[in-house]
Amino acid sequence: MVGAQARASSSLRRAAARAFSSSTSPFFRGIHVFKCPDVVGIVAKLSECIASKGGNIHCVDVFVPENKQIFYSRSEFSFDPSRWPRDVLESDFQRLAKHFSAERSTVRVPDLDPRYKIAVLASKQDHCLVDLLHRWQDQRLPVDINCIISNHPRAPNTHVIRFLERHGIPFHCLPTAPGKKGEEEILKLVEDTDFLVLARYMQILSGGFLQAYGKDIINIHHGLLPSFKGGNPSRQAFEAGVKLIGATSHFVTEELDAGPIIEQMVERVSHKDNLTSFVMKSENLEKQCLSQAIKSYCELRVLPYESRKTVVF
Amino acid sequence: MVGAQARASSYLRRTLARAFSSSSISPFFHGIHVFQCPDSVGIVARLSECIASRGGNIHCVDVFVPEDKQIFYSRSEFAFDSTRWPRDVLESDFQKIAKHFNAERSIVRVPDLDPRYKIAVLASKQDHCLVDLLHRWQEGRLPVDINCIISNHPRTSNTHVIRFLERHGIPYHYLPTALGNKREQEMLGLVEDTDFLVLARYMQLLSGGFLQAYGKDIINIHHGLLPSFKGGNPSRQAFEAGVKLIGATSHFVTEELDAGPIIEQMVERVSHKDNLTSFVMKSENLEKQCISQAIKSYCELRVLPYENRKTVVF
């Protein structure tokens, strides 16, 4: 099937599944994240809003930093859409956001709202891309994949290309050269996405691109930032004789490998490891770390915090 | 008691305890042998035959030969009867094998017979690593003799550290440093009779001249996950970098700051819920564990230099 048809069909399937199963339970799950200047009464007001519409709160994370008057919260609740329709849900929270001059107020109902649409950028290294695609196929990655963009060609008989064809996901090969990053074309191809994932994409995206795209870009760095920035961190780590190696997923900013960190993972290494096993352990970590970051992001768990950090609920 | 008397008395007590408990029930002592030589066929066979031929029973062997280098590393632990294999014969037997294989390194150690490693601990203002080391030593969990403490920061007589040291007869030497005067000559004099040094958050850089003159190993604790955050205040650096993991690194000291061969690293998770205080607290916990683990491994002959920047840690 062609990609768009496949996605429409998938969305329809999901809503139908929900509708048929909902005769037992009319409740949908909602997630609300909120960021505003801190004052007394925010939690009371948010929870009263949910309760007044018959919503049942299952989970709340609230965080106010020690030394700043900023309020962060994330709530999960179940609600009956016949009692609290989706558009009313939206406007109720918007009213609260206005009341508290919120910098951010996002409500999401995963089973009703369209999935996040992403594009994945990759270079020659396959492992992160393949792992993402498999998790997506196993429905463990709650996104729609618009397309794959790569500066490295892949022949039609490769696993990746055959997989993408089966699922109707376009593969765009945009070879880069010094002075020719192809960013204009990339911008066009990713116009209709909610965020981007760099799955070992080895080109640096310019400040101009970041500004023009304007939305979040998640990268996986195969090292424990800020150690080993730049190229071949496994080799750098191997030669430094460290006893722990890691991977870091983070938001992309203009500065290379320096954006706010979302997740980090480590594994032990010793003299028994050679460069090959360093790389292998690192690749394992990258796959886990990147998919964990995407999952957290889609579940609205990741919020920017100060200029270089994140709150991850 | 004066320090030296206390130590001699401790040594005597230990050997007597061994003698009284061992002679009638078990004359077996626990030996450790580490070996590094050019690789060839037959080394393990030779070493193990040597131990067996003297009635020694091997309990543990670690052998490592790197993929791409003809270098052999091993560490063996064995039990032996000292009446059947006297300590000096033990020494010469292994020396013979070391010579045969042109070993770069062959060390045998019998912890219950040989004198303990003698160390000096250098510290600055921060107490936590020093205090932790002293308490572990007092509890018998750090198998060393502490010759003295050297610090570039004064401590008054009514502080926990000073009272502790006085009770145990361990001298405390206050050597304030100043620009252009690191007091290294005096330090060399004070640490002459040590087997290795421990820098327990000692904040002065030891010069290449000192390292060369001292000549023996120096273990440092860096309160960060090297090579991240070298230099000062790594907890603050980590806090501002928004990392999700912080760590500590123990390593050998070389002329280059925070760059010597790494012995041990430990991590802990941090999140937005952590402030600078909890970053520092988690970091201090890690430092204490990491440095004492490194010292323990070192005393058990588990740490061997590997290539120029790394270690084998069995």
Side-chain angles (χ1 to χ4, degrees):
Chain A
M1 272 190 283
V2 173
Q5 277 182 349
R7 281 192 298 280
S9 154
S10 155
S11 180
L12 189 63
R13 261 203 314 273
R14 281 186 302 127
R18 269 318 257 112
F20 280 120
S21 69
S22 66
S23 49
T24 336
S25 164
F27 286 89
F28 282 77
R29 193 170 64 92
I31 306 170
H32 176 243
V33 291
F34 203 63
K35 180 183 177 188
C36 65
D38 189 36
V39 291
V40 167
I42 308 172
V43 180
K45 198 97 185 221
L46 287 172
S47 50
E48 176 52 35
C49 167
I50 295 170
S52 70
K53 301 289 191 162
N56 186 19
I57 294 175
H58 291 179
C59 168
V60 177
D61 275 289
V62 168
F63 173 63
V64 176
E66 262 185 357
N67 51 356
K68 288 191 168 50
Q69 301 295 314
I70 303 181
F71 175 95
Y72 293 85
S73 81
R74 179 181 181 278
S75 320
E76 285 186 27
F77 53 92
S78 53
F79 69 99
D80 181 349
S82 55
R83 193 170 156 192
W84 198 8
R86 181 67 181 86
D87 52 343
V88 180
L89 185 71
E90 191 74 34
S91 54
D92 281 349
F93 280 118
Q94 257 168 28
R95 228 191 334 271
L96 285 170
K98 198 165 176 191
H99 176 86
F100 287 111
S101 303
E103 189 178 310
R104 181 179 175 140
S105 175
T106 311
V107 66
R108 189 164 163 74
V109 183
D111 288 329
L112 290 179
D113 299 351
R115 278 191 190 164
Y116 287 121
K117 295 192 285 289
I118 68 168
V120 183
L121 281 69
S123 293
K124 186 177 178 186
Q125 290 288 328
D126 253 352
H127 57 282
C128 282
L129 173 61
V130 170
D131 187 76
L132 279 184
L133 292 174
H134 282 226
R135 284 178 201 256
W136 170 83
Q137 184 182 44
D138 289 344
Q139 296 182 48
R140 286 189 283 149
L141 221 57
V143 296
D144 282 341
I145 303 179
N146 277 13
C147 67
I148 309 297
I149 297 169
S150 176
N151 62 333
H152 181 82
R154 282 169 174 80
N157 66 340
T158 52
H159 173 62
V160 168
I161 296 298
R162 287 201 309 265
F163 182 102
L164 296 174
E165 273 173 4
R166 270 202 312 277
H167 293 276
I169 299 171
F171 177 87
H172 304 283
C173 179
L174 296 181
T176 48
K180 182 185 177 291
K181 285 185 192 240
E183 290 185 347
E184 282 302 318
E185 297 148 86
I186 299 178
L187 278 170
K188 269 207 271 297
L189 291 167
V190 303
E191 216 174 5
D192 188 36
T193 57
D194 297 301
F195 66 96
L196 299 183
V197 173
L198 307 186
R200 294 294 301 274
Y201 186 65
M202 304 309 279
Q203 294 294 312
I204 301 177
L205 298 168
S206 71
F209 178 94
L210 299 180
Q211 214 164 19
Y213 178 64
K215 290 164 276 189
D216 289 326
I217 304 177
I218 297 176
N219 181 45
I220 182 67
H221 176 76
H222 46 317
L224 214 49
L225 290 177
S227 288
F228 309 133
K229 289 186 185 183
N232 220 333
S234 294
R235 176 172 280 283
Q236 291 185 53
F238 184 69
E239 279 159 15
V242 294
K243 301 295 181 183
L244 292 170
I245 55 165
T248 305
S249 54
H250 63 100
F251 289 114
V252 174
T253 57
E254 221 175 315
E255 197 189 334
L256 175 64
D257 292 334
I261 293 172
I262 302 168
E263 174 70 64
Q264 291 185 293
M265 295 182 178
V266 281
E267 164 126 38
R268 299 195 79 80
V269 289
S270 77
H271 55 276
K272 296 181 190 181
D273 285 286
N274 52 23
L275 186 54
T276 304
S277 64
F278 257 67
V279 169
M280 199 165 72
K281 288 179 173 180
S282 182
E283 290 185 359
N284 277 338
L285 289 170
E286 292 159 51
K287 296 183 219 177
Q288 292 179 58
C289 193
L290 178 63
S291 59
Q292 182 58 49
I294 295 170
K295 188 165 179 289
S296 294
Y297 184 83
C298 292
E299 292 172 1
L300 299 187
R301 294 183 179 279
V302 186
L303 299 165
Y305 175 39
E306 292 180 10
S307 56
R308 293 188 63 180
K309 308 186 204 182
T310 57
V311 169
V312 182
F313 282 128
Chain B
M1 267 190 283
V2 172
Q5 278 182 348
R7 282 192 298 280
S9 156
S10 153
Y11 178 72
L12 190 63
R13 263 202 313 274
R14 281 188 300 128
T15 4
L16 281 174
R18 266 323 252 110
F20 279 120
S21 70
S22 68
S23 51
S24 44
I25 308 161
S26 165
F28 282 88
F29 284 81
H30 164 75
I32 306 170
H33 177 243
V34 292
F35 203 64
Q36 181 187 342
C37 65
D39 190 36
S40 58
V41 168
I43 308 171
V44 179
R46 191 74 188 254
L47 286 171
S48 49
E49 176 52 36
C50 168
I51 296 170
S53 69
R54 301 292 193 178
N57 186 19
I58 294 176
H59 290 176
C60 167
V61 177
D62 274 290
V63 168
F64 172 63
V65 176
E67 262 185 357
D68 51 346
K69 288 190 170 50
Q70 300 294 315
I71 303 181
F72 174 96
Y73 294 87
S74 80
R75 179 181 180 278
S76 322
E77 288 186 26
F78 52 93
F80 69 100
D81 180 348
S82 55
T83 53
R84 194 172 155 189
W85 200 7
R87 181 68 181 87
D88 51 345
V89 181
L90 185 70
E91 191 74 33
S92 54
D93 280 349
F94 280 117
Q95 258 167 26
K96 247 195 309 279
I97 302 180
K99 198 168 175 187
H100 176 88
F101 286 111
N102 294 319
E104 189 175 313
R105 181 176 179 137
S106 172
I107 303 176
V108 65
R109 189 166 163 73
V110 185
D112 288 329
L113 290 179
D114 299 351
R116 279 192 189 163
Y117 286 120
K118 294 193 284 290
I119 69 169
V121 182
L122 280 67
S124 293
K125 186 177 178 188
Q126 290 288 325
D127 252 354
H128 59 282
C129 283
L130 173 62
V131 170
D132 188 75
L133 280 183
L134 292 173
H135 283 223
R136 283 179 202 254
W137 170 81
Q138 183 182 41
E139 288 167 11
R141 287 190 282 149
L142 219 57
V144 295
D145 282 341
I146 304 178
N147 276 13
C148 65
I149 309 297
I150 297 171
S151 176
N152 62 332
H153 182 82
R155 284 172 170 80
T156 57
S157 47
N158 68 340
T159 54
H160 172 61
V161 168
I162 297 297
R163 287 200 310 264
F164 182 101
L165 296 175
E166 274 173 4
R167 270 201 313 278
H168 293 277
I170 299 171
Y172 179 90
H173 301 286
Y174 168 45
L175 293 183
T177 47
L179 233 51
N181 183 11
K182 289 184 192 235
R183 315 291 294 269
E184 290 186 347
Q185 277 307 320
E186 294 149 89
M187 266 197 274
L188 280 169
L190 292 168
V191 304
E192 216 175 3
D193 189 34
T194 57
D195 296 301
F196 66 96
L197 298 183
V198 173
L199 307 186
R201 294 295 302 273
Y202 185 66
M203 304 309 279
Q204 294 291 314
L205 263 162
L206 296 169
S207 72
F210 178 93
L211 300 180
Q212 213 163 18
Y214 178 65
K216 289 163 277 189
D217 289 324
I218 304 177
I219 297 176
N220 181 45
I221 183 67
H222 176 76
H223 46 318
L225 213 50
L226 290 177
S228 288
F229 310 133
K230 289 186 187 182
N233 220 333
S235 293
R236 174 172 283 283
Q237 292 185 53
F239 183 69
E240 279 160 14
V243 294
K244 301 294 182 184
L245 292 170
I246 56 166
T249 306
S250 53
H251 64 100
F252 289 114
V253 174
T254 57
E255 221 176 313
E256 196 188 334
L257 173 65
D258 293 334
I262 292 172
I263 302 168
E264 175 69 66
Q265 292 186 291
M266 296 183 177
V267 281
E268 165 126 37
R269 300 196 78 81
V270 289
S271 76
H272 56 277
K273 297 180 189 182
D274 285 285
N275 52 23
L276 185 55
T277 305
S278 63
F279 257 68
V280 168
M281 200 164 71
K282 287 180 175 181
S283 182
E284 289 185 0
N285 277 338
L286 289 169
E287 292 161 51
K288 296 182 219 175
Q289 292 178 60
C290 195
I291 187 147
S292 56
Q293 181 59 47
I295 294 169
K296 188 164 178 290
S297 294
Y298 184 84
C299 290
E300 292 172 1
L301 299 186
R302 293 183 180 279
V303 186
L304 299 165
Y306 174 40
E307 290 179 12
N308 55 358
R309 293 189 63 181
K310 309 186 203 184
T311 57
V312 170
V313 181
F314 282 128

